[in-house]
Amino acid sequence: MNPIDDDTLQAYVDGELDAASAARIDVALVHDEVLARRVRQARAVRAQLHAAFDPVLDEPVPARLSALLQPRSMQAAIPATPLVMPAGRHGTGTPRRRTARRWFVPGAALAASVALLAVALWWWLPGGDLVRMQGGQPFAAGALNRALDRVLASEPDADAPVAIGLSFRGNDGRICRTFVLRSPPAQAGLACHESAGWALPVLGAAPPPEGGELRQAASALPPAVQAAVDARLHGNVFDARQERAARDAGWR
Amino acid sequence: MNSSDAVREGLIPLLPRLRRLARALAGQAADADDLVQIVLERALARAAQWRPDAALDKWVFAIARNAWRDELRARGRSQHLFAPEEAGEMAADRASAQPAQQLELAMALAALPPDHREVVALVLVEGMSYGEAAELLEVPVGTVTSRLARARATLQAHLGKDA
């Protein structure tokens, strides 16, 4: 039998071969372990791609997209896109319609954004989004957002998926909190409160806990997160009373 | 029903697949949804060009691919989302096998040349046949096959040795 070339093997895996050619490979697979392995590897790429991208099918479609497909008569009542404030310090204070912005990032910047996507994806996988992107920046979502809003380090909840560490008012006036995700792989980060929610300026892998137990969240910070804390911290971290008062004031 | 309404209604059930395709092409979720927004706006503006005997999904996927290519051309210059040191922080260690493998794959996909990435997105993610992808891309089937083979080899190298 002729050796099976890569194009033919790929066509077999992708269901592109006619029945006779496919049957020939079916037969060869029975006794050709090398061929079987090549088929497995080619299938694995496809399977992993589906595992990576099919969850998008089950995500809720953002309202700004579905709103574009509303009948015209209804569009008057529904903004085509959500209203957001212009980005940060350049803002005029006037809400504007969000428009499709830059989204192509070449080269190294692409790798960087993909690395972020990688971290974000990872967090999304175990169920429920913990990170959402807004204006190209990551923000806390879902259980992480709820924990940052509600959980007090002085009243730790061992069952919560997120452990809160330090809370403090940063040198730009925003309140920041460190956190560690308990479910492996442990991720730690710094969240700073702003009008759009909890921005996540730093995310990183948490050091593995010692002795099989999760240590105090604040002591388990990766160096990048610790450095970000050090850069922002002026004054003291909140004590239990200040932390509660900050929560009651909506972290403003 | 005029063609605009037909396209509008027909696109609603296609949104999840369109978002998945855009994610495979553009990478980041926010970028992908920006691309989807561009595609929807174009599709609605060109609704009169859609012939009801043509499959709406292939028509809109072609718009998506072309919009992505247009953006690649228009935004060819370097734009930095994150400072390099920040990028280092983002690139967290990877501990467990399964998600790590997917992340490797997503990064490898993002690093593919556009010719390869679009074939992977259309055939391996969206599930088009080689012939359908060739028609959409306006290239011979053999070109789709060879691009896919090379892309696959690259991606495969990022999976485990015996995946």
Side-chain angles (χ1 to χ4, degrees):
Chain A
M1 178 180 298
N2 295 329
I4 292 161
D5 64 42
D6 283 344
D7 282 1
T8 305
L9 183 110
Q10 167 174 270
Y12 171 77
V13 167
D14 291 337
E16 293 274 336
L17 285 188
D18 61 83
S21 305
R24 178 177 149 249
I25 294 187
D26 284 339
V27 170
L29 279 172
V30 172
H31 54 79
D32 187 339
E33 187 47 41
V34 173
L35 181 65
R37 185 187 172 106
R38 286 164 65 204
V39 166
R40 276 200 305 277
Q41 288 175 335
R43 285 201 169 121
V45 171
R46 193 171 188 134
Q48 289 286 325
L49 283 166
H50 277 282
F53 290 104
D54 283 359
V56 178
L57 296 175
D58 297 323
E59 288 177 6
V61 175
R64 70 176 164 114
L65 298 180
S66 46
L68 287 172
L69 300 179
Q70 295 290 334
R72 280 201 191 83
S73 57
M74 290 177 65
Q75 283 184 1
I78 303 169
T81 52
L83 295 173
V84 295
M85 299 297 288
R89 57 191 84 102
H90 308 298
T92 61
T94 310
R96 61 174 168 84
R97 262 180 61 163
R98 177 177 176 168
T99 52
R101 31 159 209 96
R102 63 84 216 128
W103 57 270
F104 167 63
V105 188
L110 178 63
S113 66
V114 170
L116 168 66
L117 169 70
V119 172
L121 261 180
W122 194 330
W123 287 15
W124 293 339
L125 292 176
D129 288 359
L130 295 179
V131 177
R132 65 188 168 87
M133 297 300 294
Q134 181 173 326
Q137 295 297 320
F139 281 82
L144 176 57
N145 192 53
R146 284 195 296 278
L148 288 164
D149 273 343
R150 293 177 201 166
V151 175
L152 297 177
S154 53
E155 295 174 4
D157 177 354
D159 296 329
V162 182
I164 301 293
L166 310 169
S167 300
F168 61 91
R169 192 174 291 279
N171 45 23
D172 60 357
R174 292 189 293 163
I175 290 178
C176 299
R177 314 190 82 194
T178 65
F179 61 89
V180 174
L181 297 186
R182 287 205 168 97
S183 53
Q187 297 279 338
L190 180 68
C192 293
H193 194 261
E194 51 187 67
S195 57
W198 289 99
L200 303 174
V202 185
L203 314 168
E210 291 172 355
E213 300 222 348
L214 272 171
R215 293 178 294 168
Q216 179 75 21
S219 65
L221 295 177
V225 176
Q226 188 62 52
V229 171
D230 292 342
R232 286 169 177 75
L233 183 61
H234 82 137
N236 298 320
V237 300
F238 290 169
D239 60 21
R241 186 186 57 78
Q242 289 170 318
E243 185 187 36
R244 180 180 299 278
R247 182 183 66 175
D248 293 347
W251 307 107
R252 293 182 208 292
Chain B
M1 186 189 295
N2 64 33
S3 64
S4 172
D5 289 340
V7 167
R8 192 187 302 282
E9 285 190 14
L11 285 176
I12 293 172
L14 295 178
L15 269 178
R17 279 165 64 205
L18 184 58
R19 290 184 73 232
R20 179 178 63 177
L21 181 69
R23 195 78 64 96
L25 290 173
Q28 276 208 47
D31 294 343
D33 281 337
D34 284 349
L35 176 60
V36 172
Q37 182 172 341
I38 292 168
V39 171
L40 294 180
E41 287 166 353
R42 280 194 194 178
L44 293 173
R46 297 176 191 173
Q49 295 171 19
W50 176 64
R51 292 165 290 110
D53 57 328
L56 186 63
D57 56 354
K58 294 187 179 62
W59 182 73
V60 75
F61 290 161
I63 292 176
R65 180 267 178 176
N66 292 334
W68 176 63
R69 285 300 198 131
D70 290 347
E71 291 293 323
L72 283 181
R73 269 192 295 274
R75 318 273 175 150
R77 289 171 180 282
S78 174
Q79 294 183 41
H80 293 278
L81 258 192
F82 305 103
E85 61 272 26
E86 214 171 345
E89 291 165 5
M90 302 297 184
D93 286 348
R94 294 185 273 272
S96 67
Q98 192 67 5
Q101 214 169 54
Q102 284 176 22
L103 299 179
E104 291 271 347
L105 197 65
M107 294 173 81
L109 179 62
L112 289 179
D115 281 351
H116 291 185
R117 201 153 139 201
E118 64 193 12
V119 172
V120 169
L122 292 172
V123 174
L124 297 186
V125 176
E126 170 52 31
M128 282 188 171
S129 71
Y130 296 174
E132 289 168 337
E135 192 178 334
L136 189 153
L137 297 170
E138 298 176 322
V139 297
V141 172
T143 305
V144 167
T145 309
S146 61
R147 285 179 186 170
L148 187 62
R150 276 178 289 158
R152 204 174 211 135
T154 308
L155 296 178
Q156 207 163 288
H158 288 265
L159 291 178
K161 292 265 185 288
D162 192 11

